[in-house]
Structures are given as C-alpha cells and as structure tokens.
Amino acid sequence: KILLQTVSQGSLDASKDLQKEFATIEKKREELADYLCEDRQKLSLEDVFSTMKTFRELFLQALQ
C-alpha cells in the first residue's frame, strides 16, 4: 500500500511538473509570436522550427 501511494504521489508530482513546463513553453511561444509580429493564436512552434531548420540548411549551403 505504501509503495502504491509513493508511486501515485510521484505520478502526481510529475504531472504537475509537466503542466508547469507546458505553461512555460506556451508563455514563451506567445512571447515569440509577439516578437515576430505574428498572431499568437496561429503561431506554431513546429512551423517556426521548420523554418529555422530550412534557413540553417540554406545558409550552410551558401557558405560552401
């Protein structure tokens, strides 16, 4: 019973920590949208990272 309580508490703590991390990421996403003059509701981090990856690849090609 004690083991189950410990595991349950650990899961709850991990869930709370994960929620805090997601809230932090969401806040940073909104700050990035503001910085880039983008719509907060439409800015996708996936799109931003994809654009950055493409830029990096093209930049490295240009250097060569």
Side-chain angles (χ1 to χ4, degrees):
K1 185 175 179 179
I2 293 174
L3 178 62
L4 182 59
Q5 288 174 341
T6 303
V7 170
S8 295
Q9 187 60 44
S11 294
L12 286 174
D13 292 344
S15 177
K16 288 178 185 176
D17 290 344
L18 193 55
Q19 287 176 346
K20 287 179 187 176
E21 289 297 323
F22 282 138
T24 300
I25 291 169
E26 179 60 21
K27 182 179 179 201
K28 295 293 183 184
R29 185 192 67 79
E30 290 176 355
E31 290 174 2
L32 180 61
D34 291 343
Y35 179 78
L36 297 174
C37 300
E38 295 285 339
D39 185 344
R40 284 180 165 203
Q41 303 301 320
K42 294 181 181 178
L43 181 73
S44 161
L45 288 179
E46 196 171 333
D47 291 342
V48 171
F49 291 133
S50 176
T51 300
M52 290 169 61
K53 180 180 180 255
T54 301
F55 174 81
R56 179 185 177 275
E57 290 168 352
L58 293 172
F59 181 78
L60 292 175
Q61 282 180 358
L63 288 177
Q64 293 176 352

Short mmCIF file of all heavy atoms in Angstrom, two decimals:
data_model
loop_
_atom_site.label_atom_id
_atom_site.label_comp_id
_atom_site.label_asym_id
_atom_site.label_seq_id
_atom_site.Cartn_x
_atom_site.Cartn_y
_atom_site.Cartn_z
N LYS A 1 0.83 -1.20 0.00
CA LYS A 1 0.00 0.00 0.00
C LYS A 1 0.87 1.26 0.00
O LYS A 1 0.58 2.21 -0.70
CB LYS A 1 -0.94 -0.03 1.21
CG LYS A 1 -1.91 1.12 1.23
CD LYS A 1 -2.89 0.99 2.39
CE LYS A 1 -3.83 2.17 2.39
NZ LYS A 1 -4.81 2.11 3.43
N ILE A 2 1.93 1.24 0.78
CA ILE A 2 2.83 2.40 0.84
C ILE A 2 3.50 2.61 -0.52
O ILE A 2 3.64 3.75 -0.98
CB ILE A 2 3.88 2.23 1.96
CG1 ILE A 2 3.18 2.27 3.32
CG2 ILE A 2 4.94 3.31 1.88
CD1 ILE A 2 4.09 1.96 4.48
N LEU A 3 3.88 1.51 -1.17
CA LEU A 3 4.51 1.61 -2.49
C LEU A 3 3.56 2.24 -3.48
O LEU A 3 3.95 3.12 -4.26
CB LEU A 3 4.96 0.23 -2.97
CG LEU A 3 5.59 0.19 -4.36
CD1 LEU A 3 6.86 1.04 -4.39
CD2 LEU A 3 5.89 -1.23 -4.77
N LEU A 4 2.30 1.82 -3.45
CA LEU A 4 1.30 2.38 -4.36
C LEU A 4 1.10 3.87 -4.10
O LEU A 4 1.00 4.67 -5.04
CB LEU A 4 -0.03 1.64 -4.21
CG LEU A 4 -1.16 2.07 -5.14
CD1 LEU A 4 -0.74 1.91 -6.60
CD2 LEU A 4 -2.42 1.27 -4.87
N GLN A 5 1.08 4.27 -2.84
CA GLN A 5 0.94 5.69 -2.51
C GLN A 5 2.14 6.48 -3.00
O GLN A 5 2.00 7.59 -3.52
CB GLN A 5 0.77 5.87 -1.00
CG GLN A 5 -0.57 5.43 -0.48
CD GLN A 5 -0.65 5.50 1.06
OE1 GLN A 5 0.38 5.53 1.73
NE2 GLN A 5 -1.87 5.51 1.57
N THR A 6 3.33 5.91 -2.84
CA THR A 6 4.55 6.58 -3.28
C THR A 6 4.56 6.74 -4.79
O THR A 6 4.88 7.81 -5.31
CB THR A 6 5.80 5.78 -2.83
OG1 THR A 6 5.77 5.63 -1.41
CG2 THR A 6 7.08 6.47 -3.24
N VAL A 7 4.19 5.68 -5.49
CA VAL A 7 4.13 5.74 -6.96
C VAL A 7 3.07 6.74 -7.40
O VAL A 7 3.30 7.55 -8.31
CB VAL A 7 3.86 4.35 -7.56
CG1 VAL A 7 3.57 4.44 -9.05
CG2 VAL A 7 5.04 3.41 -7.30
N SER A 8 1.93 6.72 -6.78
CA SER A 8 0.85 7.65 -7.13
C SER A 8 1.28 9.09 -6.89
O SER A 8 1.03 9.97 -7.73
CB SER A 8 -0.40 7.36 -6.31
OG SER A 8 -0.93 6.10 -6.64
N GLN A 9 1.92 9.35 -5.75
CA GLN A 9 2.39 10.71 -5.45
C GLN A 9 3.44 11.14 -6.46
O GLN A 9 3.44 12.27 -6.92
CB GLN A 9 2.94 10.79 -4.03
CG GLN A 9 3.29 12.21 -3.61
CD GLN A 9 2.09 13.16 -3.63
OE1 GLN A 9 1.01 12.82 -3.18
NE2 GLN A 9 2.29 14.34 -4.20
N GLY A 10 4.33 10.22 -6.82
CA GLY A 10 5.35 10.52 -7.82
C GLY A 10 4.73 10.87 -9.16
O GLY A 10 5.16 11.79 -9.85
N SER A 11 3.68 10.14 -9.53
CA SER A 11 2.98 10.41 -10.79
C SER A 11 2.29 11.77 -10.75
O SER A 11 2.32 12.52 -11.73
CB SER A 11 1.94 9.33 -11.07
OG SER A 11 2.56 8.10 -11.30
N LEU A 12 1.68 12.10 -9.62
CA LEU A 12 1.02 13.40 -9.48
C LEU A 12 2.04 14.53 -9.56
O LEU A 12 1.81 15.54 -10.23
CB LEU A 12 0.26 13.47 -8.16
CG LEU A 12 -1.03 12.68 -8.07
CD1 LEU A 12 -1.59 12.74 -6.66
CD2 LEU A 12 -2.06 13.19 -9.06
N ASP A 13 3.17 14.35 -8.88
CA ASP A 13 4.22 15.36 -8.91
C ASP A 13 4.76 15.54 -10.33
O ASP A 13 4.95 16.67 -10.78
CB ASP A 13 5.36 14.99 -7.96
CG ASP A 13 4.94 15.05 -6.49
OD1 ASP A 13 3.90 15.67 -6.19
OD2 ASP A 13 5.68 14.49 -5.65
N ALA A 14 4.98 14.44 -11.03
CA ALA A 14 5.49 14.50 -12.40
C ALA A 14 4.47 15.19 -13.30
O ALA A 14 4.84 16.00 -14.17
CB ALA A 14 5.80 13.09 -12.92
N SER A 15 3.20 14.91 -13.10
CA SER A 15 2.14 15.54 -13.89
C SER A 15 2.11 17.05 -13.65
O SER A 15 1.99 17.84 -14.60
CB SER A 15 0.79 14.93 -13.55
OG SER A 15 -0.24 15.56 -14.25
N LYS A 16 2.24 17.44 -12.40
CA LYS A 16 2.25 18.88 -12.07
C LYS A 16 3.46 19.56 -12.69
O LYS A 16 3.36 20.67 -13.22
CB LYS A 16 2.23 19.08 -10.56
CG LYS A 16 0.90 18.75 -9.93
CD LYS A 16 0.95 18.91 -8.42
CE LYS A 16 -0.35 18.46 -7.77
NZ LYS A 16 -0.30 18.52 -6.31
N ASP A 17 4.62 18.90 -12.61
CA ASP A 17 5.84 19.46 -13.20
C ASP A 17 5.68 19.61 -14.71
O ASP A 17 6.08 20.62 -15.29
CB ASP A 17 7.05 18.57 -12.89
CG ASP A 17 7.46 18.61 -11.43
OD1 ASP A 17 7.02 19.53 -10.71
OD2 ASP A 17 8.22 17.71 -11.01
N LEU A 18 5.08 18.61 -15.33
CA LEU A 18 4.86 18.65 -16.78
C LEU A 18 3.90 19.78 -17.16
O LEU A 18 4.14 20.50 -18.14
CB LEU A 18 4.32 17.31 -17.26
CG LEU A 18 4.31 17.04 -18.76
CD1 LEU A 18 5.70 17.23 -19.35
CD2 LEU A 18 3.79 15.65 -19.04
N GLN A 19 2.86 19.97 -16.37
CA GLN A 19 1.93 21.07 -16.62
C GLN A 19 2.64 22.42 -16.51
O GLN A 19 2.39 23.32 -17.32
CB GLN A 19 0.76 21.01 -15.65
CG GLN A 19 -0.22 19.91 -15.94
CD GLN A 19 -1.33 19.81 -14.90
OE1 GLN A 19 -1.24 20.40 -13.82
NE2 GLN A 19 -2.38 19.07 -15.23
N LYS A 20 3.53 22.55 -15.54
CA LYS A 20 4.30 23.80 -15.39
C LYS A 20 5.19 24.02 -16.61
O LYS A 20 5.30 25.14 -17.10
CB LYS A 20 5.16 23.75 -14.12
CG LYS A 20 4.38 23.90 -12.85
CD LYS A 20 5.31 23.82 -11.64
CE LYS A 20 4.53 23.81 -10.35
NZ LYS A 20 5.40 23.64 -9.18
N GLU A 21 5.83 22.95 -17.08
CA GLU A 21 6.70 23.07 -18.26
C GLU A 21 5.89 23.48 -19.49
O GLU A 21 6.32 24.34 -20.26
CB GLU A 21 7.43 21.75 -18.53
CG GLU A 21 8.49 21.43 -17.52
CD GLU A 21 9.62 22.43 -17.47
OE1 GLU A 21 10.01 22.96 -18.53
OE2 GLU A 21 10.11 22.70 -16.37
N PHE A 22 4.71 22.87 -19.67
CA PHE A 22 3.87 23.23 -20.81
C PHE A 22 3.41 24.69 -20.71
O PHE A 22 3.36 25.40 -21.72
CB PHE A 22 2.65 22.31 -20.91
CG PHE A 22 2.95 20.97 -21.52
CD1 PHE A 22 2.40 19.82 -20.99
CD2 PHE A 22 3.79 20.85 -22.61
CE1 PHE A 22 2.67 18.58 -21.54
CE2 PHE A 22 4.07 19.62 -23.17
CZ PHE A 22 3.51 18.47 -22.64
N ALA A 23 3.11 25.14 -19.51
CA ALA A 23 2.70 26.54 -19.32
C ALA A 23 3.86 27.48 -19.66
O ALA A 23 3.66 28.52 -20.31
CB ALA A 23 2.23 26.77 -17.88
N THR A 24 5.07 27.11 -19.27
CA THR A 24 6.24 27.91 -19.59
C THR A 24 6.47 27.96 -21.10
O THR A 24 6.74 29.02 -21.67
CB THR A 24 7.50 27.34 -18.89
OG1 THR A 24 7.28 27.36 -17.48
CG2 THR A 24 8.74 28.13 -19.24
N ILE A 25 6.35 26.81 -21.75
CA ILE A 25 6.52 26.75 -23.21
C ILE A 25 5.47 27.60 -23.90
O ILE A 25 5.77 28.34 -24.84
CB ILE A 25 6.47 25.29 -23.70
CG1 ILE A 25 7.72 24.54 -23.23
CG2 ILE A 25 6.35 25.22 -25.22
CD1 ILE A 25 7.65 23.04 -23.42
N GLU A 26 4.24 27.52 -23.43
CA GLU A 26 3.16 28.32 -24.04
C GLU A 26 3.43 29.81 -23.87
O GLU A 26 3.23 30.59 -24.81
CB GLU A 26 1.82 27.94 -23.40
CG GLU A 26 0.64 28.73 -23.93
CD GLU A 26 0.39 28.57 -25.42
OE1 GLU A 26 0.84 27.57 -26.02
OE2 GLU A 26 -0.26 29.46 -26.00
N LYS A 27 3.91 30.21 -22.71
CA LYS A 27 4.23 31.63 -22.49
C LYS A 27 5.35 32.07 -23.43
O LYS A 27 5.27 33.15 -24.03
CB LYS A 27 4.64 31.85 -21.04
CG LYS A 27 4.94 33.29 -20.72
CD LYS A 27 5.31 33.50 -19.27
CE LYS A 27 5.62 34.97 -19.05
NZ LYS A 27 6.42 35.22 -17.90
N LYS A 28 6.38 31.26 -23.57
CA LYS A 28 7.48 31.58 -24.47
C LYS A 28 7.01 31.63 -25.93
O LYS A 28 7.46 32.46 -26.72
CB LYS A 28 8.63 30.57 -24.32
CG LYS A 28 9.30 30.60 -22.98
CD LYS A 28 10.03 31.91 -22.77
CE LYS A 28 10.75 31.91 -21.44
NZ LYS A 28 11.38 33.21 -21.18
N ARG A 29 6.09 30.74 -26.30
CA ARG A 29 5.54 30.74 -27.66
C ARG A 29 4.81 32.06 -27.93
O ARG A 29 4.97 32.67 -28.99
CB ARG A 29 4.59 29.56 -27.86
CG ARG A 29 4.08 29.42 -29.30
CD ARG A 29 2.94 28.43 -29.40
NE ARG A 29 1.75 28.91 -28.73
CZ ARG A 29 0.89 29.81 -29.23
NH1 ARG A 29 1.10 30.35 -30.40
NH2 ARG A 29 -0.16 30.18 -28.55
N GLU A 30 4.05 32.52 -26.95
CA GLU A 30 3.33 33.78 -27.10
C GLU A 30 4.31 34.95 -27.19
O GLU A 30 4.12 35.86 -28.00
CB GLU A 30 2.35 33.98 -25.94
CG GLU A 30 1.17 33.04 -25.99
CD GLU A 30 0.26 33.16 -24.80
OE1 GLU A 30 0.57 33.91 -23.85
OE2 GLU A 30 -0.79 32.48 -24.80
N GLU A 31 5.37 34.93 -26.39
CA GLU A 31 6.39 35.98 -26.45
C GLU A 31 7.07 35.98 -27.81
O GLU A 31 7.34 37.04 -28.39
CB GLU A 31 7.43 35.79 -25.34
CG GLU A 31 6.89 36.08 -23.95
CD GLU A 31 7.89 35.74 -22.86
OE1 GLU A 31 9.04 35.32 -23.16
OE2 GLU A 31 7.52 35.89 -21.67
N LEU A 32 7.35 34.79 -28.34
CA LEU A 32 7.97 34.68 -29.65
C LEU A 32 7.04 35.22 -30.74
O LEU A 32 7.47 35.93 -31.65
CB LEU A 32 8.34 33.22 -29.95
CG LEU A 32 9.01 32.95 -31.29
CD1 LEU A 32 10.33 33.70 -31.39
CD2 LEU A 32 9.21 31.45 -31.49
N ALA A 33 5.76 34.90 -30.62
CA ALA A 33 4.77 35.41 -31.59
C ALA A 33 4.76 36.94 -31.56
O ALA A 33 4.76 37.58 -32.62
CB ALA A 33 3.39 34.86 -31.28
N ASP A 34 4.78 37.52 -30.38
CA ASP A 34 4.81 38.98 -30.27
C ASP A 34 6.08 39.54 -30.89
O ASP A 34 6.04 40.52 -31.63
CB ASP A 34 4.71 39.41 -28.80
CG ASP A 34 3.35 39.14 -28.20
OD1 ASP A 34 2.38 38.91 -28.96
OD2 ASP A 34 3.25 39.14 -26.96
N TYR A 35 7.21 38.91 -30.60
CA TYR A 35 8.50 39.36 -31.12
C TYR A 35 8.52 39.32 -32.65
O TYR A 35 9.05 40.22 -33.30
CB TYR A 35 9.63 38.51 -30.54
CG TYR A 35 11.00 38.89 -31.04
CD1 TYR A 35 11.65 40.01 -30.53
CD2 TYR A 35 11.63 38.15 -32.03
CE1 TYR A 35 12.91 40.37 -30.98
CE2 TYR A 35 12.89 38.50 -32.49
CZ TYR A 35 13.52 39.62 -31.96
OH TYR A 35 14.75 39.98 -32.43
N LEU A 36 7.94 38.26 -33.21
CA LEU A 36 7.92 38.09 -34.67
C LEU A 36 6.73 38.79 -35.33
O LEU A 36 6.55 38.68 -36.54
CB LEU A 36 7.89 36.60 -35.02
CG LEU A 36 9.11 35.79 -34.58
CD1 LEU A 36 8.89 34.31 -34.86
CD2 LEU A 36 10.38 36.29 -35.25
N CYS A 37 5.94 39.49 -34.53
CA CYS A 37 4.73 40.18 -35.03
C CYS A 37 3.78 39.20 -35.71
O CYS A 37 3.21 39.49 -36.77
CB CYS A 37 5.09 41.33 -35.97
SG CYS A 37 6.13 42.58 -35.19
N GLU A 38 3.62 38.05 -35.09
CA GLU A 38 2.71 37.02 -35.60
C GLU A 38 1.49 36.93 -34.69
O GLU A 38 1.53 37.36 -33.54
CB GLU A 38 3.41 35.65 -35.64
CG GLU A 38 4.56 35.56 -36.60
CD GLU A 38 4.12 35.47 -38.05
OE1 GLU A 38 2.97 35.08 -38.30
OE2 GLU A 38 4.95 35.79 -38.92
N ASP A 39 0.44 36.35 -35.21
CA ASP A 39 -0.78 36.12 -34.44
C ASP A 39 -0.50 35.04 -33.40
O ASP A 39 -0.08 33.93 -33.74
CB ASP A 39 -1.91 35.68 -35.38
CG ASP A 39 -3.24 35.52 -34.69
OD1 ASP A 39 -3.29 35.46 -33.44
OD2 ASP A 39 -4.26 35.47 -35.41
N ARG A 40 -0.71 35.37 -32.14
CA ARG A 40 -0.46 34.41 -31.05
C ARG A 40 -1.24 33.11 -31.23
O ARG A 40 -0.77 32.04 -30.85
CB ARG A 40 -0.85 35.02 -29.70
CG ARG A 40 0.12 36.02 -29.17
CD ARG A 40 -0.38 36.54 -27.83
NE ARG A 40 0.68 37.22 -27.12
CZ ARG A 40 0.69 37.39 -25.81
NH1 ARG A 40 -0.30 36.95 -25.09
NH2 ARG A 40 1.69 38.02 -25.24
N GLN A 41 -2.45 33.22 -31.77
CA GLN A 41 -3.31 32.03 -31.91
C GLN A 41 -2.85 31.12 -33.05
O GLN A 41 -3.14 29.94 -33.04
CB GLN A 41 -4.76 32.46 -32.16
CG GLN A 41 -5.33 33.34 -31.08
CD GLN A 41 -5.32 32.70 -29.71
OE1 GLN A 41 -5.60 31.51 -29.58
NE2 GLN A 41 -4.98 33.46 -28.69
N LYS A 42 -2.13 31.69 -34.02
CA LYS A 42 -1.79 30.91 -35.21
C LYS A 42 -0.34 30.46 -35.25
O LYS A 42 -0.01 29.58 -36.04
CB LYS A 42 -2.09 31.74 -36.47
CG LYS A 42 -3.57 32.01 -36.66
CD LYS A 42 -3.81 32.79 -37.91
CE LYS A 42 -5.31 33.08 -38.07
NZ LYS A 42 -5.58 33.88 -39.25
N LEU A 43 0.52 31.05 -34.43
CA LEU A 43 1.94 30.69 -34.48
C LEU A 43 2.15 29.27 -33.97
O LEU A 43 1.77 28.93 -32.85
CB LEU A 43 2.78 31.66 -33.63
CG LEU A 43 4.28 31.35 -33.65
CD1 LEU A 43 4.87 31.74 -35.00
CD2 LEU A 43 4.99 32.06 -32.53
N SER A 44 2.73 28.46 -34.81
CA SER A 44 3.03 27.07 -34.47
C SER A 44 4.54 26.93 -34.25
O SER A 44 5.33 27.31 -35.11
CB SER A 44 2.59 26.16 -35.61
OG SER A 44 3.22 24.91 -35.54
N LEU A 45 4.92 26.39 -33.11
CA LEU A 45 6.34 26.18 -32.86
C LEU A 45 6.93 25.22 -33.88
O LEU A 45 8.09 25.37 -34.28
CB LEU A 45 6.55 25.64 -31.44
CG LEU A 45 6.32 26.63 -30.31
CD1 LEU A 45 6.54 25.96 -28.96
CD2 LEU A 45 7.24 27.83 -30.44
N GLU A 46 6.14 24.28 -34.31
CA GLU A 46 6.60 23.33 -35.33
C GLU A 46 6.98 24.07 -36.61
O GLU A 46 8.02 23.81 -37.21
CB GLU A 46 5.50 22.31 -35.60
CG GLU A 46 5.97 21.08 -36.32
CD GLU A 46 4.90 20.00 -36.37
OE1 GLU A 46 4.03 19.95 -35.49
OE2 GLU A 46 4.96 19.22 -37.33
N ASP A 47 6.15 25.03 -37.01
CA ASP A 47 6.45 25.83 -38.21
C ASP A 47 7.69 26.68 -38.01
O ASP A 47 8.52 26.82 -38.91
CB ASP A 47 5.26 26.72 -38.58
CG ASP A 47 4.06 25.93 -39.08
OD1 ASP A 47 4.24 24.76 -39.48
OD2 ASP A 47 2.95 26.50 -39.07
N VAL A 48 7.82 27.28 -36.84
CA VAL A 48 8.99 28.12 -36.55
C VAL A 48 10.27 27.28 -36.63
O VAL A 48 11.24 27.67 -37.26
CB VAL A 48 8.87 28.79 -35.17
CG1 VAL A 48 10.18 29.48 -34.78
CG2 VAL A 48 7.73 29.79 -35.16
N PHE A 49 10.27 26.12 -35.99
CA PHE A 49 11.45 25.27 -36.01
C PHE A 49 11.76 24.76 -37.41
O PHE A 49 12.91 24.65 -37.80
CB PHE A 49 11.32 24.11 -35.02
CG PHE A 49 11.37 24.55 -33.58
CD1 PHE A 49 10.44 24.07 -32.68
CD2 PHE A 49 12.33 25.43 -33.13
CE1 PHE A 49 10.47 24.47 -31.34
CE2 PHE A 49 12.37 25.84 -31.80
CZ PHE A 49 11.44 25.35 -30.92
N SER A 50 10.72 24.46 -38.16
CA SER A 50 10.91 24.01 -39.54
C SER A 50 11.54 25.13 -40.38
O SER A 50 12.47 24.88 -41.17
CB SER A 50 9.57 23.59 -40.14
OG SER A 50 9.73 23.25 -41.49
N THR A 51 11.06 26.35 -40.21
CA THR A 51 11.62 27.49 -40.94
C THR A 51 13.07 27.72 -40.54
O THR A 51 13.93 27.97 -41.41
CB THR A 51 10.78 28.75 -40.66
OG1 THR A 51 9.45 28.52 -41.10
CG2 THR A 51 11.35 29.97 -41.38
N MET A 52 13.36 27.62 -39.26
CA MET A 52 14.73 27.80 -38.79
C MET A 52 15.66 26.72 -39.36
O MET A 52 16.80 27.00 -39.76
CB MET A 52 14.78 27.79 -37.26
CG MET A 52 14.15 29.01 -36.63
SD MET A 52 13.90 28.90 -34.85
CE MET A 52 15.56 28.71 -34.25
N LYS A 53 15.17 25.49 -39.43
CA LYS A 53 15.96 24.39 -39.97
C LYS A 53 16.25 24.64 -41.44
O LYS A 53 17.39 24.47 -41.89
CB LYS A 53 15.21 23.07 -39.79
CG LYS A 53 15.94 21.88 -40.34
CD LYS A 53 15.15 20.59 -40.13
CE LYS A 53 15.89 19.41 -40.66
NZ LYS A 53 15.38 18.89 -41.89
N THR A 54 15.24 25.05 -42.19
CA THR A 54 15.42 25.33 -43.61
C THR A 54 16.41 26.47 -43.81
O THR A 54 17.31 26.40 -44.66
CB THR A 54 14.07 25.68 -44.27
OG1 THR A 54 13.17 24.58 -44.09
CG2 THR A 54 14.23 25.97 -45.75
N PHE A 55 16.26 27.54 -43.01
CA PHE A 55 17.19 28.66 -43.10
C PHE A 55 18.62 28.21 -42.84
O PHE A 55 19.55 28.57 -43.57
CB PHE A 55 16.80 29.77 -42.11
CG PHE A 55 17.80 30.89 -42.06
CD1 PHE A 55 17.79 31.87 -43.01
CD2 PHE A 55 18.76 30.91 -41.06
CE1 PHE A 55 18.73 32.90 -42.99
CE2 PHE A 55 19.70 31.93 -41.02
CZ PHE A 55 19.69 32.92 -41.98
N ARG A 56 18.80 27.41 -41.80
CA ARG A 56 20.14 26.93 -41.45
C ARG A 56 20.74 26.13 -42.60
O ARG A 56 21.91 26.31 -42.96
CB ARG A 56 20.08 26.07 -40.19
CG ARG A 56 21.41 25.51 -39.76
CD ARG A 56 21.27 24.57 -38.56
NE ARG A 56 22.54 23.99 -38.20
CZ ARG A 56 23.06 22.91 -38.76
NH1 ARG A 56 22.41 22.27 -39.72
NH2 ARG A 56 24.22 22.44 -38.37
N GLU A 57 19.93 25.23 -43.17
CA GLU A 57 20.44 24.40 -44.28
C GLU A 57 20.83 25.26 -45.47
O GLU A 57 21.90 25.06 -46.06
CB GLU A 57 19.38 23.38 -44.69
CG GLU A 57 19.17 22.30 -43.64
CD GLU A 57 17.93 21.44 -43.90
OE1 GLU A 57 17.13 21.78 -44.81
OE2 GLU A 57 17.76 20.45 -43.18
N LEU A 58 20.00 26.22 -45.83
CA LEU A 58 20.31 27.12 -46.95
C LEU A 58 21.52 27.99 -46.65
O LEU A 58 22.35 28.25 -47.54
CB LEU A 58 19.09 27.97 -47.30
CG LEU A 58 17.89 27.20 -47.87
CD1 LEU A 58 16.69 28.11 -48.01
CD2 LEU A 58 18.25 26.54 -49.20
N PHE A 59 21.63 28.46 -45.41
CA PHE A 59 22.77 29.29 -45.01
C PHE A 59 24.06 28.49 -45.14
O PHE A 59 25.06 28.99 -45.66
CB PHE A 59 22.56 29.79 -43.58
CG PHE A 59 23.66 30.67 -43.09
CD1 PHE A 59 23.73 32.00 -43.49
CD2 PHE A 59 24.63 30.17 -42.24
CE1 PHE A 59 24.77 32.82 -43.05
CE2 PHE A 59 25.66 30.99 -41.78
CZ PHE A 59 25.72 32.32 -42.19
N LEU A 60 24.05 27.24 -44.65
CA LEU A 60 25.25 26.41 -44.73
C LEU A 60 25.62 26.10 -46.19
O LEU A 60 26.80 26.08 -46.55
CB LEU A 60 25.06 25.11 -43.95
CG LEU A 60 24.98 25.28 -42.43
CD1 LEU A 60 24.66 23.95 -41.75
CD2 LEU A 60 26.26 25.88 -41.86
N GLN A 61 24.61 25.93 -47.04
CA GLN A 61 24.88 25.72 -48.48
C GLN A 61 25.51 26.96 -49.08
O GLN A 61 26.45 26.87 -49.89
CB GLN A 61 23.58 25.40 -49.22
CG GLN A 61 23.09 23.99 -49.06
CD GLN A 61 21.80 23.75 -49.83
OE1 GLN A 61 21.25 24.64 -50.45
NE2 GLN A 61 21.32 22.52 -49.76
N ALA A 62 25.01 28.12 -48.69
CA ALA A 62 25.55 29.39 -49.21
C ALA A 62 27.00 29.58 -48.78
O ALA A 62 27.82 30.11 -49.54
CB ALA A 62 24.70 30.56 -48.76
N LEU A 63 27.35 29.15 -47.57
CA LEU A 63 28.72 29.27 -47.10
C LEU A 63 29.68 28.42 -47.91
O LEU A 63 30.84 28.79 -48.13
CB LEU A 63 28.82 28.90 -45.62
CG LEU A 63 28.24 29.88 -44.63
CD1 LEU A 63 28.35 29.33 -43.21
CD2 LEU A 63 28.92 31.23 -44.72
N GLN A 64 29.20 27.29 -48.39
CA GLN A 64 30.05 26.39 -49.17
C GLN A 64 30.22 26.94 -50.55
O GLN A 64 31.13 26.83 -51.25
CB GLN A 64 29.45 25.00 -49.24
CG GLN A 64 29.43 24.31 -47.89
CD GLN A 64 28.74 22.96 -47.93
OE1 GLN A 64 28.14 22.58 -48.93
NE2 GLN A 64 28.77 22.24 -46.82
#
